[in-house]
Amino acid sequence: MTHVEALADFCARLAPADLPDRITARTKSHLLDTLGAALAGTRSNEFRKVRTLAAPGGTTPLLASQRRTGPRDAALTNGVAAHVFELDDSGGCDHTGAVVLPALLAALPTCEGPISGGDFICALTAGYEVGRRMLDASGGYGVHNGAGWHSTGTCGTLAAAAAVARLRGYDCALFRHALTLATSFSSGLWAFNHDGSQAKKVHAGRAAEGGLLAADLAAAGFSGPSQVFEDVWGGFFRTYVRDVGQPAELSAGLGTNWKIERASLKPYAACRGAHSAIDAVGDILSLTGRDAVDIAKIDLRLSPFLMDMCGRARLETLAGAQMSLGYALAALLVFGRVDLEQYSAAARRDRHIAFTLDRIDFHPDPQMPQMAEPEVTVTFTDGESRTTMVPRATGSSERPMSDTAIRAKFDSLASMALPAARVADLADFVGVLEGRADCRELSELLVTDEPEAPVFI
């Protein structure tokens, strides 16, 4: 077998009994978290603009409404909702949940027979496996994204194809065709980062749509390019990273090295690049017993890569603010939290934000590894200073969010779009997911006939 054949075979054969209990529990946590992020995202301008482009009619639900469309339009539109507020998980393809779940929700109503909770969990897990393995085979996050590609859109397309293929029970050959076809729909550039463009918000939706299309084409008899992961002209690795890649990563440790454990939940409504610094400042305040008002300045030593990604403060747009490490720290000091509310237009205009940003200095260090977390130095008004670096942010396997915190985040976000009773029903549904005989009703739990809440700005 080639490495991609081994990966396709593993995912196609993946059964609920193959999953360790910790992986089942982890997958359910990421499912609940992504549902919350997606429901909150229906309050965004981006979701509602894309929704107007969805073809009317069809039987596939659009989130938090009574509107229906075709499966691929639903995958695109709901995928935008899942990623738009930067509240979805990271560390997979990068944003795997926002890619995989919308594709599955679009495919679910088209399944003719029951889909057990165990099989749904396997489909999600397969998506996380493929998304991260594609990124690792492409040299990892730093190499692939450093080349200018947004891995949520490029590697995420294959993650979505894998999830749908497993949901539908494709055999190894059909599964491989879905994966290799998906490479032709990979896309997404980091150019959005220079001006706070909304383009990034579409990447997860396009990946979900492309993955679903690849799975549909495979089922219709289309063949995927058999050499796309080899060192050939037009191959995935040579094209995206100008290298032969590391194709052995596609199959390394299958069944023991579960890639969902590389993914992180996000307690803060900011780009993941800001999370370790938020934790570092919080840790320093906690350890010293000081308050934010005691801070005179903050200095950050960081890699040029992180500086390019998160070093600018473009507060005119929500997208620009959420990519700003400086704004995340300013929000923490001014408001005491870095939730979605702290990114509202009113919060971004708060006069204390500009004052606090002036006390935050960035020091790019070419000697720091590309993917190193920033070193944070807090200097207090009495001259005392503390320096620390958090190697893995809250929400990771090393520093996990508690079940209580995960549920609280879900309740807060889901309630932005659904009534409280429906939010509770959803949480209950996910809580016993592995024991459910049929998951096709999940899509119907995500719609409502109540008046639509206003756009969050």
Side-chain angles (χ1 to χ4, degrees):
M1 281 189 181
T2 65
H3 295 295
V4 71
E5 286 172 339
L7 177 59
D9 183 69
F10 173 80
C11 290
R13 296 174 184 271
L14 188 63
D18 298 329
L19 302 178
D21 289 345
R22 75 178 194 281
I23 300 302
T24 296
R26 182 70 171 262
T27 304
K28 288 166 56 179
S29 292
H30 281 259
L31 168 59
L32 189 71
D33 187 77
T34 306
L35 287 171
L39 288 165
T42 65
R43 296 277 301 275
S44 69
N45 264 317
E46 291 84 352
F47 169 79
R48 295 186 182 179
K49 288 177 179 178
V50 173
R51 189 177 64 184
T52 65
L53 303 178
T59 59
T60 310
L62 293 173
L63 293 171
S65 73
Q66 287 292 307
R67 304 187 193 192
R68 310 265 166 165
T69 187
R72 290 196 291 278
D73 278 357
L76 168 64
T77 309
N78 292 338
V80 170
H83 179 56
V84 67
F85 283 151
E86 296 287 345
L87 289 158
D88 51 310
D89 62 19
S90 65
C93 68
D94 184 37
H95 297 278
T96 312
V99 168
V100 167
L101 182 59
L104 289 178
L105 291 177
L108 199 57
T110 68
C111 295
E112 296 181 359
I115 300 295
S116 73
D119 281 326
F120 193 78
I121 291 171
C122 284
L124 282 165
T125 304
Y128 278 88
E129 285 291 309
V130 169
R132 184 68 211 194
R133 288 175 181 278
M134 278 306 311
L135 183 55
D136 288 343
S138 301
Y141 185 91
V143 171
H144 190 81
N145 288 268
W149 302 105
H150 186 209
S151 55
T152 299
T154 53
C155 300
T157 309
L158 285 89
V164 174
R166 174 58 188 84
L167 185 78
R168 292 175 174 171
Y170 287 6
D171 63 20
C172 176
L174 205 56
F175 203 112
R176 177 173 55 81
H177 286 306
L179 291 185
T180 53
L181 283 164
T183 61
S184 287
F185 310 127
S186 294
S187 63
L189 298 172
W190 270 92
F192 63 81
N193 204 43
H194 301 292
D195 56 9
S197 164
Q198 296 166 302
K200 179 178 189 282
K201 310 306 182 181
V202 185
H203 291 178
R206 282 291 283 167
E209 176 194 33
L212 179 60
L213 175 59
D216 287 345
L217 290 172
F222 276 69
S223 62
S226 62
Q227 299 182 65
V228 71
F229 297 119
E230 297 179 18
D231 184 24
V232 296
W233 175 63
F236 191 90
F237 305 127
R238 192 188 286 188
T239 301
Y240 283 108
V241 294
R242 295 292 186 262
D243 200 345
V244 298
Q246 302 171 38
E249 292 293 334
L250 294 174
S251 61
L254 284 169
T256 56
N257 184 9
W258 297 94
K259 294 302 182 180
I260 196 168
E261 295 187 299
R262 288 287 301 275
S264 299
L265 300 180
K266 294 174 68 175
Y268 314 120
C271 172
R272 170 58 184 82
H275 282 221
S276 287
I278 297 170
D279 282 342
V281 173
D283 287 353
I284 289 172
L285 291 175
S286 179
L287 288 169
T288 60
R290 304 287 195 110
D291 294 321
V293 294
D294 298 324
I295 294 178
K297 66 172 183 171
I298 297 176
D299 291 280
L300 298 104
R301 186 172 71 91
L302 71 172
S303 70
F305 180 74
L306 183 58
M307 182 68 189
D308 287 343
M309 184 188 299
C310 297
R312 302 176 184 86
R314 293 175 294 267
L315 309 188
E316 298 83 7
T317 67
L318 174 61
Q322 288 185 301
M323 293 301 297
S324 169
L325 173 50
Y327 183 84
L329 295 182
L332 177 67
L333 300 189
V334 172
F335 305 117
R337 302 181 65 84
V338 195
D339 297 336
L340 185 58
E341 182 181 350
Q342 283 75 59
Y343 282 89
S344 67
R348 301 196 305 271
R349 291 193 298 264
D350 189 291
R351 61 185 179 86
H352 296 98
I353 288 291
F355 173 75
T356 304
L357 281 170
D358 287 340
R359 293 185 288 154
I360 300 172
D361 291 324
F362 295 89
H363 308 279
D365 183 352
Q367 302 303 312
M368 289 187 75
Q370 182 185 29
M371 296 307 297
E373 299 292 358
E375 181 183 86
V376 180
T377 298
V378 172
T379 302
F380 295 100
T381 53
D382 62 3
E384 180 187 359
S385 66
R386 294 288 182 96
T387 299
T388 192
M389 186 271 286
V390 174
R392 292 283 283 162
T394 300
S396 65
S397 294
E398 295 81 359
R399 188 168 168 152
M401 292 175 66
S402 67
D403 290 342
T404 300
I406 295 170
R407 175 62 188 271
K409 177 187 173 185
F410 168 76
D411 287 347
S412 174
L413 296 179
S415 64
M416 290 176 63
L418 296 180
R422 180 62 58 82
V423 172
D425 288 343
L426 265 173
D428 291 343
F429 186 97
V430 174
V432 294
L433 181 62
E434 65 270 40
R436 292 192 175 273
D438 191 359
C439 289
R440 287 177 296 176
E441 64 184 279
L442 175 59
S443 298
E444 299 303 324
L445 291 175
L446 299 170
V447 301
T448 181
D449 57 3
E450 295 199 352
E452 193 165 61
V455 167
F456 176 92
I457 57 172

